[in-house]
Amino acid sequence: MPDQIKEHALFIADAHYPNHGNYFLKLLQKIENKTIETPQLFLMGDIFDLLFGYNNYIKTFSQEGIHLLNKISNKLEIIYIEGNHDFCLKEIFPNIKVYSRKEQPIHYKLGIKNVYLAHGDKHKTGFGYNFYSNILRRKSTLTLLRPFEKQIIDHRMGKLKVKKICGDFINFEKRIDAIREHYPKDSLIIEGHFHQALQHKNYISLPSLACQGEVGVVEKGEVVFKTT
Ligand SMILES: [Mn+2]
């Protein structure tokens, strides 16, 4: 039996911390000091602009966020769905339920409705993307790259910092319909990744915390978008 998504559960997606604002850190502080109360926190991927396990240098960019998230995870149920910018996270967050791209979608229930959660880069990404992400998201690759880590990571971080991550997605409904084909018609699909903040039929494209400054909140059994 799938777990329930609880009333007042919080969905955070695509914060791209720390390169695209510190909304994420502010939000964590509000959860920690109980300004925001939630029984369940879903992190929907690309929360960090670049973070992966088996590497100490990459953690230095996001230390405050990592530390606070770990602290909160001692007393709050947190589900972390990895994105294409944050992966191999199980070793960084021992008290968080972390799901890799391979393990997605995650099946939950919202009332009697079946809900499928994924970051959003699972389907319709093509061979190149799958090849690249399968190789990259591996402990062996990350270990192998370690001697060059500073150059590679500094270079990547520099590019990510100036990358334009907000904007409209052309033909988005067509893309959504292609994703919807992989799921039962009467289910609800919730994803991040596209930064669009909209619902199309049974598909919810969560707001990006970095772009819209909003999160998803469950109110009276429905997911609504709210500024934090
Ligand atoms: Mn993404």
Side-chain angles (χ1 to χ4, degrees), residues 14 46 84 119 193:
D14 302 275
D46 291 359
N84 46 312
H119 174 59
H193 188 55

Side-chain angles (χ1 to χ4, degrees), residues 14 16 45-46 83-85 119 121 129 192-195:
D14 302 275
H16 291 268
D46 291 359
N84 46 312
H85 291 242
H119 174 59
D121 61 334
Y129 184 87
H193 188 55
F194 300 108
H195 308 179

Side-chain angles (χ1 to χ4, degrees), residues 57-199:
Y57 182 57
I58 191 64
K59 291 181 201 164
T60 62
F61 294 87
S62 306
Q63 250 163 1
E64 234 183 319
I66 295 169
H67 175 75
L68 196 50
L69 198 51
N70 266 327
K71 193 174 171 197
I72 293 169
S73 73
N74 289 318
K75 42 197 174 174
L76 174 66
E77 181 190 6
I78 306 180
I79 296 95
Y80 200 136
I81 290 167
E82 293 185 343
N84 46 312
H85 291 242
D86 43 0
F87 44 89
C88 291
L89 298 178
K90 286 177 193 177
E91 63 119 3
I92 304 179
F93 302 113
N95 300 317
I96 294 180
K97 294 174 199 164
V98 176
Y99 296 96
S100 67
R101 179 167 178 262
K102 263 192 195 153
E103 296 166 311
Q104 300 170 26
I106 315 303
H107 186 188
Y108 268 82
K109 284 257 180 189
L110 182 56
I112 55 163
K113 207 170 205 98
N114 287 303
V115 181
Y116 294 93
L117 306 173
H119 174 59
D121 61 334
K122 181 111 188 159
H123 301 294
K124 286 266 156 202
T125 41
F127 173 76
Y129 184 87
N130 282 323
F131 179 75
Y132 157 85
S133 61
N134 286 337
I135 298 271
L136 189 68
R137 295 176 209 194
R138 240 187 239 164
K139 185 182 180 182
S140 55
T141 311
L142 295 172
T143 309
L144 197 74
L145 290 174
R146 210 176 279 156
F148 320 100
E149 63 175 17
K150 206 170 176 304
Q151 292 104 299
I152 294 173
I153 291 171
D154 284 345
H155 180 255
R156 196 80 204 116
M157 275 307 234
K159 292 227 162 182
L160 286 171
K161 242 180 234 173
V162 295
K163 193 178 168 191
K164 261 194 73 191
I165 61 165
C166 306
D168 290 338
F169 193 111
I170 311 297
N171 285 328
F172 191 47
E173 293 192 349
K174 210 176 142 201
R175 175 67 172 263
I176 292 176
D177 288 335
I179 295 172
R180 288 174 55 247
E181 280 177 19
H182 295 268
Y183 296 93
K185 290 255 176 296
D186 57 352
S187 65
L188 181 66
I189 306 147
I190 304 177
E191 296 188 336
H193 188 55
F194 300 108
H195 308 179
Q196 295 301 302
L198 57 84
Q199 178 155 5

Side-chain angles (χ1 to χ4, degrees), residues 18-78:
N19 289 339
H20 297 272
N22 61 352
Y23 285 111
F24 180 60
L25 199 63
K26 290 252 166 71
L27 193 54
L28 288 184
Q29 284 159 350
K30 284 181 190 169
I31 292 170
E32 144 84 353
N33 68 25
K34 302 260 164 82
T35 309
I36 293 175
E37 292 201 60
T38 181
Q40 199 179 34
L41 176 61
F42 290 91
L43 301 172
M44 299 296 290
D46 291 359
I47 299 302
F48 294 86
D49 207 27
L50 190 59
L51 184 65
F52 44 85
Y54 313 109
N55 185 292
N56 286 323
Y57 182 57
I58 191 64
K59 291 181 201 164
T60 62
F61 294 87
S62 306
Q63 250 163 1
E64 234 183 319
I66 295 169
H67 175 75
L68 196 50
L69 198 51
N70 266 327
K71 193 174 171 197
I72 293 169
S73 73
N74 289 318
K75 42 197 174 174
L76 174 66
E77 181 190 6
I78 306 180

